[in-house]
Amino acid sequence: MLSAEKKKELEEAIYAFVGKPIGPPFTGRDVVNEPMIRQWCDAMGETSPNYLDAVAAEKSPHGGIVAPPMMLQAWVMQGWEMHEGYDEPKNEEHRLHKLLTDAGYEGVLGTDTEQSFSRYLRLGDAVTADTVIEHISEEKATGAGVGYFITTRATFTDQNGAELGWMTFRVLKFIPNQPQQAASDDDGAAQPAKPARIKPPMGHDNSWWWQACTDGKIQIQRCGGCEKLRHPPRPMCGACGSMEWDAVESSGRGTLHTYTVIHYPQFPGYEFPIIAALVDLEEGVRMMSSISGCDYEKVEIGMPLQGVIHEDEDGFALPIFRPREDSQ
Amino acid sequence: MSRTLADRAAIAGIGATEFSKKSGRTPLQLAVEATRAALEDAGIAAAEVDGMVSFTGDQNAETEIARCLGIPRLTHFSRIHYGGGAACATIQQAAMAVATGISEVVVAYRAFNERSERRFGAGRQGPTADVPVPLPTNWYAPFGFVTPASWVAMFARRYMHEYNASSEDFGRVSVADRKHAATNPKAWFYEQPITLEDHQESRWIVEPLHLLDCCQESDGGVAIVVTSPERARDLAHPPVMIRAAAQGASSDQETMTSYYRDDIAGLPEMGLVGDQLWAQSGLGPDDIQTAILYDHFTPFVLPQLEELGFCERGEARHFIADGNIELGGRLPINTNGGQLGEAYIHGMNGIAEGVRQVRGSAVNQVEDVDHVVVTAGTGVPTSALILGRA
C-alpha cells in the first residue's frame, strides 16, 4: 500500500494526463485493402459478399467492396512494437501506465469499449487515429484488485480529414489481489463449481431407480401382474396392463449389444471420448450405460460386461460397465 | 367414395428462403418470406389461406404469420411432434383438412435459424446441468448421451454388425448427395462434390459416424401450399397430387432411442409408413422413379431403402454400391443434394424437391417421373408421402 502522501503524488501525476493526446495522430501503415479485409473476415467468421466478393459487392448499394465497420481500429493498429512492453514508453499512454506500474498497479485488464461508425470504408481509404486520454477514475476496489479505470478516445479520420468514427477503450490498471487474499475476501463463494454430469429430471416413474443407484443397486422393474421385467421403467406393463410392480436387483452381468464412441462435441462435465453402451443384461432387459476401464479400440459387440455403481464426486450415482473377465 | 386419402388433395405451390449459415433475420421473417414465396408460386392470394400446419418445435405462431401476410381467418391449425419426423405429416394434416372440407388452402411451413441460433447437435450448452432434459431422455443424458449423432450411431454400429456394412457404405450416401448438390445452385454445397476418400478422412464425430455422415446445420425456411385437386387444376403449375400420406410409430417406439426392440437394425416405423403408402396409392416400389430419403445422418438411409422395399433387408449396401441412388441409377435419391448437400430444413426442403421432380422442373431432373417418395425424420415417429402427376 502507498502512503497517503505517495498516493497524492501519484494521483496528481496521473490526473495531469487527462485531456492529453497520447502522441501525434497516427496514420495506418496500409490503406484499406482486400487482403487485410479477407484475413479479418476469415478470423471473425464474417461471410458477407459486401466484404469479400467484388462482383456481388459491385451490385450492392456500396458499389464495390467495403471494409467491415468493426475493422475500423484494425487499420491503425501499430503492430508488433505494441507488444514490447513499457520499459521505454513510446507515447503518453505508455508513460501513464508506467507511472502506475512502478507504484504497484501492475495489472492491466481491458474492461469495455464503445465504437461509432460514420461511413463504410472503401478500398484505398487511409485511416488516421487521433487518440486522447479522456478520463481517469478515482481509485476503485474491484474483484481483481484496487486500481484506476483509464479511458482513451480515438477519433478516426480519412485522407480528407472527414470523420470516420470514434472508439472509447477502457482499461483497469490495478494492484492484483494475492490469491490468499482473494480466498479470504469472498467467503469462498466464488469457487467456480466443477462441471458435473447432467442430472436426470426426477419424476414418480423414474426417481426410485436413480435412488436405488445411490444405494448401490442396479434395479429392474418387475410387473406385479405377469412378473415380466421391463426397462426403462414405466407405470404400466405393456404385456398385461398391470400397474402393480416391484423391482429386482440386477447382477450387473451382461453383454454389449452395441456402442458408440463419442468424440465431439466435447461439452463440460464429461471425459472424452465417451464409450456409450447398450448392454443386454443377463436378466433379459437392455440398459443404456457407458463403459470405463477399457481402451475404446478394444470394445466389441458381444463382449462380456459387468455393471457397477459409480459415484461421482458430487454424490450422484449411476451404473457404469467394465469388461468382465470371468465369462463363465 | 373411397375412404383413402389418395388424390384428395394436391400441392399447388412451394417456396423457400435462401439456405445459409446465418440468415441475419428472425425465424418469423423466414417463415413469412417462405410462405409468401409459396403462395406466389401457386398463384393464390394470402387472404385465401385458411389453414396452417407446422412442427411442434417450430417457434413461429400460425397467428403471427397470418398477421404478417394479412390472412384474415384460419379454420385449421395443427402441429406435429417428433422433430424431423413431422415433415411429411404436415402435408398429411393439410391433405386431411382439405379432403374433409375443413380448409381450402393450407400452408405447411418450417423456418428456423438452426445454425446461427439454437443448434440441435451442440450437446450441453453450458458447464452445469442447464439442459432442459425431458423425462424420457433421463435414461440417456446422464451418460453424456445427448446428441442426435450419438443416438443414431448406436443403431448404425448394430446395423454394421448385423449386415456386414461398413463406413464406406454410409459414405456413398454422402458422396451421392454431394454430387447432386454440386449441380444445384440453391444448395449450400453447390459445386463442392466430395469423394469417398474425403468421407473416410473426415474426422470422427461419434464413431462410426464421420463428420461427412452428418447433415448440415442451416438457417432457412420452406413452405408448401396444399389445396383441393379441383382448385389446383386452375393454377399456375400442374397439380402435384398427394397420392399417399402416412405417419407411423411402431412397437417400443422412443424418440431417437428405440433401443429396446429385439432387432434394432431396422426402422419398423418406416416399414409401417411404407405399407400405408403402398396401400393408399395402389403403387409399389417399382412405380417410383426417384426418392427423397431423410438424411440427417447417412446410416439411416440404408434401412429406409429396405423398409420401403427398394431392396431386401441387409442388401442396401449392395444397392447403393451398384450406383442405384445416383442420377442415372435405378432410384436417384436426394436430387437436390439432400440435407447433407442442400440444407437442413428438417425435411421440408425435400418435399419441395419432390414437387419439382413431379413438375419436371428440378435442376437435377430425373426422366419420366410419375411418382416420388419423400420421407421424414428417421429414428423417430415418422411420416412419408407419395407425390405424383395429375
Side-chain angles (χ1 to χ4, degrees):
Chain A
M1 289 295 289
L2 296 179
S3 67
E5 199 175 324
K6 286 266 187 205
K7 179 170 253 178
K8 187 160 176 274
E9 201 176 297
L10 174 72
E11 291 195 341
E12 271 175 19
I14 64 172
Y15 289 129
F17 281 85
V18 175
K20 276 192 185 178
I22 65 167
F26 178 78
T27 300
R29 296 180 297 174
D30 297 291
V31 298
V32 174
N33 64 83
E34 282 190 81
M36 278 176 68
I37 292 173
R38 192 154 47 238
Q39 287 162 24
W40 191 92
C41 287
D42 277 355
M44 302 300 284
E46 176 58 67
T47 58
S48 167
N50 290 338
Y51 310 142
L52 297 167
D53 180 342
V55 176
E58 197 165 323
K59 290 184 214 148
S60 79
H62 304 298
I65 286 205
V66 292
M70 286 296 292
M71 255 191 100
L72 184 53
Q73 191 208 3
W75 300 110
V76 290
M77 283 185 165
Q78 295 185 28
W80 185 246
E81 69 172 272
M82 290 291 284
H83 288 265
E84 289 174 359
Y86 301 132
D87 290 347
E88 289 189 33
K90 294 183 175 67
N91 64 33
E92 293 302 309
E93 188 181 18
H94 292 183
R95 280 183 198 99
L96 168 63
H97 279 219
K98 187 168 192 315
L99 272 177
L100 285 160
T101 303
D102 292 347
Y105 296 80
E106 291 173 336
V108 63
L109 198 62
T111 60
D112 57 297
T113 180
E114 277 184 50
Q115 303 188 43
S116 171
F117 312 111
S118 307
R119 70 160 171 91
Y120 279 94
L121 270 59
R122 291 179 284 272
L123 299 181
D125 274 333
V127 183
T128 297
D130 196 351
T131 306
V132 172
I133 296 164
E134 186 176 67
H135 184 259
I136 301 173
S137 73
E138 61 189 56
E139 191 184 68
K140 300 274 192 188
T142 75
V146 295
Y148 296 88
F149 288 97
I150 301 167
T151 309
T152 54
R153 172 181 288 266
T155 306
F156 303 96
T157 50
D158 67 11
Q159 56 278 16
N160 303 315
E163 185 172 325
L164 295 167
W166 53 262
M167 177 180 83
T168 60
F169 194 83
R170 188 152 52 163
V171 299
L172 175 68
K173 213 39 200 136
F174 64 102
I175 303 173
N177 281 334
Q178 298 302 312
Q180 61 270 33
Q181 271 181 310
S184 61
D185 282 351
D186 61 21
D187 306 327
Q191 283 279 358
K194 189 181 170 199
R197 195 181 289 279
I198 298 170
K199 300 301 187 292
M202 296 293 183
H204 184 74
D205 294 340
N206 74 328
S207 58
W208 63 270
W209 190 88
W210 290 104
Q211 182 56 48
C213 291
T214 305
D215 299 338
K217 295 175 184 166
I218 303 172
Q219 295 279 69
I220 304 171
Q221 193 180 32
R222 177 172 62 185
C223 175
C226 66
E227 301 203 334
K228 188 176 158 81
L229 299 178
R230 62 181 191 259
H231 185 83
R234 282 180 297 280
M236 184 185 283
C237 175
C240 80
S242 171
M243 286 198 280
E244 301 296 319
W245 58 268
D246 63 1
V248 296
E249 186 175 350
S250 168
S251 67
R253 292 165 59 87
T255 54
L256 184 62
H257 188 78
T258 179
Y259 69 101
T260 71
V261 183
I262 302 172
H263 294 274
Y264 184 85
Q266 299 201 348
F267 38 82
Y270 295 84
E271 281 180 24
F272 289 84
I274 296 168
I275 309 170
L278 269 183
V279 182
D280 286 323
L281 291 176
E282 68 177 1
E283 291 85 0
V285 298
R286 199 170 289 157
M287 185 171 287
M288 173 74 204
S289 182
S290 56
I291 292 176
S292 70
C294 181
D295 183 347
Y296 72 79
E297 281 165 350
K298 297 196 172 128
V299 174
E300 56 182 12
I301 288 175
M303 72 189 285
L305 296 168
Q306 176 65 51
V308 289
I309 295 294
H310 165 87
E311 192 173 311
D312 289 344
E313 279 177 33
D314 64 358
F316 181 72
L318 76 180
I320 300 288
F321 284 75
R322 294 185 186 140
R324 174 160 51 89
E325 303 299 337
D326 60 305
S327 43
Q328 46 181 293
Chain B
M1 182 191 263
S2 154
R3 286 190 64 243
T4 79
L5 193 57
D7 293 338
R8 305 277 299 280
I11 294 176
I14 54 175
T17 64
E18 83 287 2
F19 305 129
S20 74
K21 301 299 177 189
K22 191 175 183 183
S23 73
R25 42 207 203 278
T26 61
L28 179 60
Q29 184 171 339
L30 299 175
V32 169
E33 287 179 22
T35 302
R36 183 168 65 185
L39 289 167
E40 281 171 2
D41 182 58
I44 292 179
E48 292 182 65
V49 173
D50 56 0
M52 300 195 87
V53 188
S54 191
F55 297 47
T56 328
D58 194 278
Q59 73 179 73
N60 305 296
E62 301 84 337
T63 47
E64 287 304 308
I65 298 171
R67 289 170 80 182
C68 287
L69 288 166
I71 296 169
R73 43 188 273 286
L74 292 172
T75 57
H76 173 79
F77 26 94
S78 54
R79 296 277 184 137
I80 308 293
H81 282 311
Y82 307 117
C88 295
T90 64
I91 305 301
Q92 187 199 44
Q93 287 283 305
M96 291 195 295
V98 166
T100 50
I102 298 291
S103 289
E104 178 65 20
V105 177
V106 182
V107 174
Y109 65 92
R110 179 78 173 113
F112 54 22
N113 287 323
E114 199 282 330
R115 178 62 182 79
S116 66
E117 292 177 10
R118 175 82 172 83
R119 301 173 67 180
F120 299 160
R124 193 180 210 184
Q125 313 264 324
T128 51
D130 47 9
V131 197
V133 182
L135 196 56
T137 64
N138 90 94
W139 309 109
Y140 311 104
F143 298 98
F145 197 60
V146 293
T147 63
S150 60
W151 301 328
V152 170
M154 202 67 114
F155 291 101
R157 175 79 69 185
R158 187 70 198 187
Y159 183 92
M160 292 164 81
H161 176 80
E162 294 274 344
Y163 299 120
N164 205 21
S166 68
S167 169
E168 285 89 346
D169 295 321
F170 302 149
R172 288 185 184 95
V173 173
S174 192
V175 170
D177 272 15
R178 291 288 292 269
K179 175 183 169 186
H180 300 162
T183 50
N184 172 10
K186 299 271 173 67
W188 180 259
F189 285 120
Y190 176 51
E191 295 184 331
Q192 295 176 66
I194 58 165
T195 63
L196 197 54
E197 290 69 38
D198 295 332
H199 170 271
Q200 287 295 297
E201 286 165 15
S202 68
R203 64 191 164 95
W204 290 123
I205 299 297
V206 180
E207 290 182 50
L209 269 59
H210 290 274
L211 174 67
L212 291 174
D213 287 305
C214 307
C215 77
Q216 304 177 61
E217 298 175 285
S218 306
D219 287 8
V222 170
I224 312 280
V225 180
V226 175
T227 190
S228 65
E230 296 73 31
R231 181 77 213 279
R233 225 166 272 137
D234 300 331
L235 296 170
H237 299 282
V240 172
M241 305 302 289
I242 299 168
R243 203 127 278 158
Q247 273 188 295
S250 207
S251 174
D252 260 335
Q253 182 83 53
E254 289 192 5
T255 303
M256 299 301 286
T257 49
S258 302
Y259 296 144
Y260 307 96
R261 296 160 170 166
D262 290 342
D263 173 12
I264 66 166
L267 291 169
E269 55 280 0
M270 191 60 82
L272 174 62
V273 165
D275 291 346
Q276 295 175 78
L277 293 182
W278 309 132
Q280 277 182 33
S281 65
L283 301 168
D286 289 345
D287 300 311
I288 306 299
Q289 288 77 41
T290 178
I292 314 297
L293 301 182
Y294 201 89
D295 56 344
H296 51 2
F297 301 98
T298 58
F300 272 156
V301 170
L302 282 71
Q304 285 188 83
L305 288 164
E306 298 163 10
E307 296 285 357
L308 293 169
F310 292 110
C311 60
E312 295 297 316
R313 191 165 299 275
E315 296 295 313
R317 64 193 180 97
H318 302 302
F319 185 84
I320 289 169
D322 292 344
N324 283 309
I325 64 167
E326 297 191 18
L327 282 171
R330 149 71 189 95
L331 185 78
I333 68 162
N334 305 346
T335 46
N336 58 339
Q339 302 192 96
L340 288 134
E342 186 183 59
Y344 173 72
I345 313 292
H346 241 163
M348 294 297 276
N349 50 323
I351 300 173
E353 176 67 3
V355 170
R356 286 187 291 265
Q357 286 291 349
V358 173
R359 285 178 177 176
S361 64
V363 289
N364 295 316
Q365 184 62 45
V366 175
E367 282 179 28
D368 301 322
V369 172
D370 288 321
H371 295 105
V372 179
V373 164
V374 183
T375 63
T378 39
V380 292
T382 190
S383 55
L385 303 169
I386 296 176
L387 303 177
R389 288 204 290 212

